[in-house]
Amino acid sequence: MPVPTRRLAVVAAVGAVLVLLAPVQPAWTIVIVELALLVVAGADVLRASAPARIPVERELPGVLPLDGHGEVAWHVRNPTSRRLRVWLADELAPSLRPASRRARLTLPANARVTARVGLHPSRRGRFTPTELVLRVEGPLGLAARQRRRQLPGLLRVYPPFKSRQEAELRIDRARILEVGLRSARGQGGGTEFDSLREYGVDDESRHIDWAATARTTKVIVRTYRAERNQTVLLLLDTGRTMAGQVDEVPRLDHAMDAVMMLTAVATRLGDRAGLVAFDQDVRAIVGPGHARGQLSRVTEAMYLLEPRLVESDYRRAFVQTLSRFRRRALLVLLTELAEAPVTESVLPALPMVARDHLVLVAGIRDPRVDEWASTVPANAGEAYRKAAAIEALDVRRRTVARLRGLGATVVDAPPGRVAPQLADAYLHLKATGRL
């Protein structure tokens, strides 16, 4: 498709001004000048290279975290023996926040030129740019040939793993405990026999192996490690209560960070971690595993999930989970600890899983409510807000107490702390032999 350029508009304007300023101005002079200019522009279009003949490649990073940075690169090659001026415009979603969706390139003869643009995604999901518009100017730059090119691409934006460093710290601590040393958090423990070694000043007398001691002249102790190959199933609620924002981020995104941290810790310590995401129906399932790529599989299953404005069916989720995975496991439910959904749905369904499995419930608490409850009000509006915050926290504490009364371990923490505290609860259950 022929397209006029800015240079053509400028030349046409200058020609019109020169004709108007000329001492002799026949009525048809300006028409002749403009027609001549159009003829030259048409010839320029004919001499322009066809966009279909220009090889173009788009290079995307493939995967980006939501809080990460990447770039898209366009590789354009000039197959001709003369210099080309090329414009391109790409079909990049606004939520990728590209620095620009356009590029102008000057291609030397038989050369390949690359243009790069930064990406700063603001939304999770799957992005599939498919079209790119390429414009090739003629030798005079008065007109260009333009064409849409099909150039399919794929970019996946994953939820951010903000607790990665916390996960590595807990993995290192757990491994120190496994070899019988003390960590900053206290004594190590376990239920699976590991080895015998000589008694040390930090060892407990209950770990002395008297039979081995009797055969030698030294005191020998047994060392234990936490049992491996246990099953941890993470049940991620994607219903309406998880759509509420805490620190301007949906609760679901905070819960995803906790899912990734617990998956990383559990699999690195030899346990099997899996995922069940649900609301009214089960939306995603990843079977338990401890292979190196399990965290990637869990993240891949989550990154497209968005909270749906429906009530979550906990009983259905529990039934489908137990029907698929019958082995005794630690069930980790990530949900919102609001009184109504917990009372109406979670509490009636909890006994069916708490009887044969360990249950760990995690909720994301809004730190603003804690702040409102502790501040000194300066006016009537702030006083009412403080009273409402105190009442909300009291209701939340009663809800947590009812869950604990049914045998569940509960973690209720603000963003940034829920993932580490959830991992600590898992490690405590593992170290005390309950898992």
Side-chain angles (χ1 to χ4, degrees):
M1 180 180 67
V3 177
T5 64
R6 294 179 182 177
R7 180 177 296 183
L8 178 62
V10 171
V11 172
V14 171
V17 170
L18 292 177
V19 170
L20 293 175
L21 294 178
V24 179
Q25 301 178 7
W28 41 265
T29 305
I30 190 169
V31 176
I32 293 177
V33 171
E34 298 303 329
L35 287 176
L37 186 58
L38 288 176
V39 171
V40 174
D44 201 31
V45 168
L46 294 176
R47 295 186 61 192
S49 296
R53 295 181 55 203
I54 308 298
V56 181
E57 298 176 4
R58 181 202 295 114
E59 182 181 343
L60 290 168
V63 174
L64 277 179
L66 183 58
D67 58 351
H69 305 287
E71 64 179 17
V72 55
W74 299 291
H75 306 289
V76 186
R77 187 168 65 85
N78 180 6
T80 68
S81 58
R82 60 186 177 86
R83 190 179 69 169
L84 296 180
R85 288 186 296 271
V86 176
W87 292 77
L88 63 84
D90 204 350
E91 185 187 39
L92 298 177
S95 57
L96 290 176
R97 294 194 297 181
S100 175
R101 292 188 296 167
R102 297 176 175 82
R104 183 181 182 183
L105 304 173
T106 300
L107 307 178
N110 300 306
R112 184 174 183 265
V113 177
T114 299
R116 301 179 185 274
V117 166
L119 300 176
H120 311 279
S122 60
R123 180 174 64 84
R124 288 184 290 106
R126 180 187 180 94
F127 299 88
T128 55
T130 56
E131 284 190 345
L132 182 145
V133 177
L134 196 66
R135 179 183 297 177
V136 183
E137 294 183 2
L140 301 178
L142 298 177
R145 299 175 71 175
Q146 179 174 300
R147 182 173 179 175
R148 292 181 179 272
R149 299 279 297 274
Q150 295 296 313
L151 206 64
L154 173 62
L155 171 61
R156 294 170 293 178
V157 179
Y158 280 177
F161 191 1
K162 296 181 179 180
S163 300
R164 185 183 297 275
Q165 291 184 347
E166 294 277 359
E168 294 295 333
L169 176 62
R170 279 151 181 80
I171 292 168
D172 292 341
R173 286 180 177 177
R175 285 175 173 170
I176 291 175
L177 293 177
E178 282 190 5
V179 297
L181 300 177
R182 295 178 187 271
S183 73
R185 293 179 61 247
Q187 287 187 338
T191 60
E192 186 175 296
F193 174 74
D194 186 26
S195 62
L196 295 173
R197 62 172 174 81
E198 188 176 349
Y199 178 84
V201 295
D202 290 331
D203 291 319
E204 297 182 16
S205 59
R206 63 188 177 94
H207 290 158
I208 296 176
D209 188 314
W210 295 108
T213 300
R215 292 193 299 267
T216 65
T217 59
K218 300 178 181 179
V219 179
I220 303 299
V221 295
R222 289 173 173 262
T223 60
Y224 296 87
R225 64 185 178 196
E227 291 187 23
R228 294 176 177 269
N229 205 31
Q230 301 300 308
T231 301
V232 180
L233 290 174
L234 297 122
L235 282 71
L236 179 62
D237 183 1
T238 61
R240 67 170 185 84
T241 58
M242 299 298 281
Q245 294 196 344
V246 179
D247 290 348
E248 300 182 353
V249 176
R251 278 189 169 89
L252 180 60
D253 287 45
H254 294 302
M256 286 181 177
D257 178 56
V259 168
M260 289 188 287
M261 179 171 181
L262 196 52
T263 300
V265 173
T267 54
R268 294 273 292 279
L269 295 180
D271 286 335
R272 303 165 68 246
L275 171 71
V276 177
F278 70 96
D279 40 60
Q280 278 184 336
D281 303 300
V282 173
R283 299 179 60 186
I285 294 179
V286 179
H290 52 66
R292 184 180 297 272
Q294 186 68 3
L295 177 58
S296 297
R297 284 189 285 272
V298 169
T299 307
E300 178 72 21
M302 287 195 306
Y303 84 100
L304 287 175
L305 296 176
E306 296 291 345
R308 296 173 60 190
L309 301 182
V310 296
E311 296 294 339
S312 297
D313 191 336
Y314 298 91
R315 180 175 292 276
R316 174 180 289 185
F318 291 163
V319 168
Q320 293 199 28
T321 299
L322 296 181
S323 65
R324 288 174 176 267
F325 314 111
R326 299 181 181 278
R327 182 178 176 180
R328 184 177 182 272
L330 171 62
L331 302 182
V332 182
L333 174 62
L334 295 108
T335 186
E336 163 56 3
L337 300 177
E339 182 184 29
V342 170
T343 302
E344 296 171 6
S345 301
V346 180
L347 292 177
L350 197 59
M352 66 185 297
V353 293
R355 181 172 55 251
D356 300 316
H357 302 271
L358 286 175
V359 179
L360 178 54
V361 182
I364 297 94
R365 191 171 69 244
D366 193 337
R368 292 177 302 176
V369 179
D370 294 319
E371 180 183 348
W372 294 337
S374 61
T375 56
V376 177
N379 50 53
E382 292 184 3
Y384 287 124
R385 187 175 65 182
K386 178 174 182 176
I390 293 174
E391 174 64 19
L393 291 177
D394 187 53
V395 170
R396 195 175 183 93
R397 280 190 290 268
R398 292 199 300 267
T399 302
V400 170
R402 295 181 67 182
L403 288 169
R404 287 174 176 158
L406 290 177
T409 302
V410 182
V411 172
D412 185 22
R417 296 307 310 159
V418 65
Q421 290 188 23
L422 189 60
D424 288 340
Y426 154 75
L427 291 173
H428 178 71
L429 293 172
K430 188 175 178 68
T432 55
R434 294 182 60 190
L435 177 59

